Amino acid sequence: MLVQQPTDSIFTQLDTFGHKKVVFCSDPDTGLRAIIAIHDTTLGPAFGSTRMWAYKTEGDALNDVLRLSKSMTYKCAIAGLNMGGGYSVIIGDAHKDKTEALMRKFGRFVKNLNGEFITSEDVGTNPRDMEYIRMETQYVTGIPESLGGSGDPSPIAAKGVYMGIKACVREQFGNDSLTGKSVIVQGIGHVGENLVKLLRDENAKVYISDINDERTRQVSKKYGAEAVSNNSIFDIDADIYSPCALGATINTETIKKIKCGIIAGSANNQLQDEHVHGEMLLEKGILFAPDYVINAGGIINCYSELMGFSKKRTLQLTENIYEATRNVLKLSKLENLSTTDAANKIAEKRIADIKKVKSTY
Ligand code: NAD
């Protein structure tokens, strides 16, 4: 049973995050309950994935979609894309509640936004679901390659994370080789598994952990990665911690335990509190690659699909994540800012600059 939040808290939250629009989608026939959040459209239409998750409360779903959509604004800005930030969440268990009708109904809600919001897959959704949405609206990417889309964006997302990890390793060790470096990958789903492959291809020592034991066993065997329990990952003295599951794994409790000098992973919103925990990491001397900077590969892949770019161009844009990460780390060092504040400053400057361009003729 979902717990209802007080209605006035919704507007307080919108003010806090600075959203342009939030759409609540409800359809009793299909059981659809979803929220589409449009954060900022200065750079272009709001771009963001659709997550399906069995949130404990409606408040949790709202909070997630507001945080995710805001970070999309920053992600698109820092990746140099002409897109704004949005996101959507469907409340429900993806294994039990998802149907063609539910996804297509959701597609109708996206259609009604007339291109103000363009979506793609995320946790709990896949290319097949994007195909269902595509049956109702053109404002969706990440549809299967067989249908002329770019397919699963996860391998490109993993490539971007890998480039971000290398940029951090260069900052800390003087060169970006991953050979012999140790990495904990938490969450070995679509992105995590592809990342494990890239890391093992460069002879990194890889530890993996996932709540899905069967998957952990399979990935461990396939790539020669060491499986560890989720409870013990912070006891491991590795060089890099790569969160690739869900957000908020970096908080006051875990920062006390983390032994790794670098945190760089794909999960969105890894810091429970962007400012507080960003500062704590800075003080502790842990190099944190802001998630939205290094996990932009997925959205770059979708953007390329939208713009009709080649695979080569997509890869080039994704490899630029290396330089984007270095720029963030440089500014952080120069101005003694947390890496998150440094990244935000770079993203906000681009949005402000382009706003001026658009305000003139
Ligand atoms: P996924 O659902 O394929 O994989 C997530 C994995 O994490 C699953 O194997 C799940 O069992 C595991 N997991 C869940 N909770 C866990 C926990 N507490 N501890 C350990 N493992 C846990 O999702 P994905 O597509 O690989 O995305 C992973 C993260 O990266 C998400 O936060 C997503 O928003 C982000 N991301 C994904 C993409 C993409 O292209 N798929 C792009 C950018 C960012």
Side-chain angles (χ1 to χ4, degrees):
M1 176 75 181
L2 288 168
V3 179
Q4 203 71 41
Q5 297 287 308
T7 46
D8 63 353
S9 76
I10 293 176
F11 288 100
T12 311
Q13 285 193 69
L14 298 195
D15 289 347
T16 310
F17 287 98
H19 279 74
K20 184 178 165 187
K21 187 188 281 185
V22 177
V23 180
F24 291 85
C25 318
S26 171
D27 181 59
D29 288 343
T30 56
L32 175 73
R33 280 187 301 172
I35 311 172
I36 300 173
I38 295 175
H39 179 255
D40 190 285
T41 52
T42 306
L43 299 177
F47 212 3
S49 306
T50 295
R51 172 172 294 187
M52 184 159 186
W53 192 254
Y55 292 98
K56 283 204 184 93
T57 69
E58 291 169 4
D60 287 351
L62 179 65
N63 192 263
D64 207 25
V65 78
L66 295 181
R67 281 165 58 111
L68 290 164
S69 52
K70 183 172 179 187
S71 72
M72 281 305 298
T73 298
Y74 285 73
K75 187 189 296 200
C76 290
I78 213 156
L81 311 183
N82 288 325
M83 301 299 276
Y87 225 91
S88 53
V89 295
I90 299 175
I91 301 169
D93 183 329
H95 298 291
K96 288 194 239 149
D97 304 329
K98 197 164 60 178
T99 60
E100 176 187 349
L102 181 138
M103 291 313 299
R104 291 183 66 166
K105 193 57 157 185
F106 176 72
R108 303 291 295 182
F109 280 98
V110 174
K111 179 186 164 81
N112 287 341
L113 286 165
N114 295 314
E116 199 179 7
F117 175 65
I118 302 168
T119 198
S120 63
E121 71 160 70
D122 188 38
V123 176
T125 58
N126 54 43
R128 181 79 181 131
D129 299 323
M130 298 308 111
E131 200 181 323
Y132 289 138
I133 296 174
R134 183 72 182 82
M135 289 173 188
E136 304 300 330
T137 176
Q138 59 181 300
Y139 300 118
V140 58
T141 60
I143 55 171
E145 283 181 282
S146 56
L147 292 174
S150 60
D152 180 6
S154 313
I156 292 286
K159 178 76 180 188
V161 174
Y162 169 79
M163 297 311 293
I165 290 176
K166 282 179 89 65
C168 293
V169 166
R170 176 162 164 192
E171 182 75 16
Q172 205 153 73
F173 295 92
N175 69 69
D176 65 16
S177 169
L178 296 180
T179 304
K181 299 286 182 302
S182 48
V183 190
I184 305 164
V185 181
Q186 181 186 34
I188 39 163
H190 290 92
V191 182
E193 180 177 348
N194 281 292
L195 178 64
V196 169
K197 181 181 184 320
L198 291 167
L199 296 170
R200 291 294 297 133
D201 283 351
E202 209 181 320
N203 287 321
K205 159 86 186 156
V206 179
Y207 299 93
I208 54 168
S209 116
D210 199 290
I211 48 171
N212 183 333
D213 292 338
E214 183 49 34
R215 195 164 168 77
T216 311
R217 263 192 298 279
Q218 281 168 6
V219 173
S220 163
K221 197 169 161 207
K222 193 168 168 189
Y223 302 101
E226 187 175 330
V228 290
S229 90
N230 216 21
N231 297 333
S232 66
I233 58 168
F234 297 124
D235 299 333
I236 300 166
D237 198 357
D239 298 307
I240 301 143
Y241 162 49
S242 186
C244 295
L246 297 177
T249 60
I250 302 159
N251 52 51
T252 307
E253 285 312 303
T254 56
I255 290 174
K256 282 185 206 150
K257 294 186 203 160
I258 293 171
K259 296 195 172 88
C260 306
I262 294 171
I263 301 176
S266 75
N268 283 309
N269 299 323
Q270 291 163 29
L271 302 182
Q272 192 176 56
D273 183 299
E274 191 180 279
H275 187 69
V276 173
H277 299 119
E279 287 290 327
M280 279 178 77
L281 291 173
L282 181 70
E283 273 167 36
K284 207 176 160 185
I286 296 176
L287 208 56
F288 173 64
D291 39 64
Y292 73 79
V293 178
I294 72 163
N295 73 11
I299 210 71
I300 289 171
N301 195 53
C302 296
Y303 181 70
S304 295
E305 179 179 327
L306 213 58
M307 306 301 281
F309 291 164
S310 65
K311 279 198 187 284
K312 193 175 162 200
R313 175 82 180 125
T314 309
L315 203 60
Q316 278 168 350
L317 287 171
T318 306
E319 284 169 356
N320 288 347
I321 288 174
Y322 184 89
E323 275 314 311
T325 309
R326 281 187 51 77
N327 289 339
V328 169
L329 301 182
K330 270 188 221 156
L331 185 66
S332 156
K333 211 170 175 179
L334 191 72
E335 299 193 4
N336 195 29
L337 293 172
S338 72
T339 51
T340 319
D341 285 347
N344 290 351
K345 202 169 169 180
I346 295 170
E348 282 163 7
K349 181 172 183 321
R350 177 164 181 248
I351 295 168
D353 287 350
I354 303 305
K355 196 172 243 167
K356 281 184 223 146
V357 172
K358 291 195 172 184
S359 70
T360 54
Y361 60 91

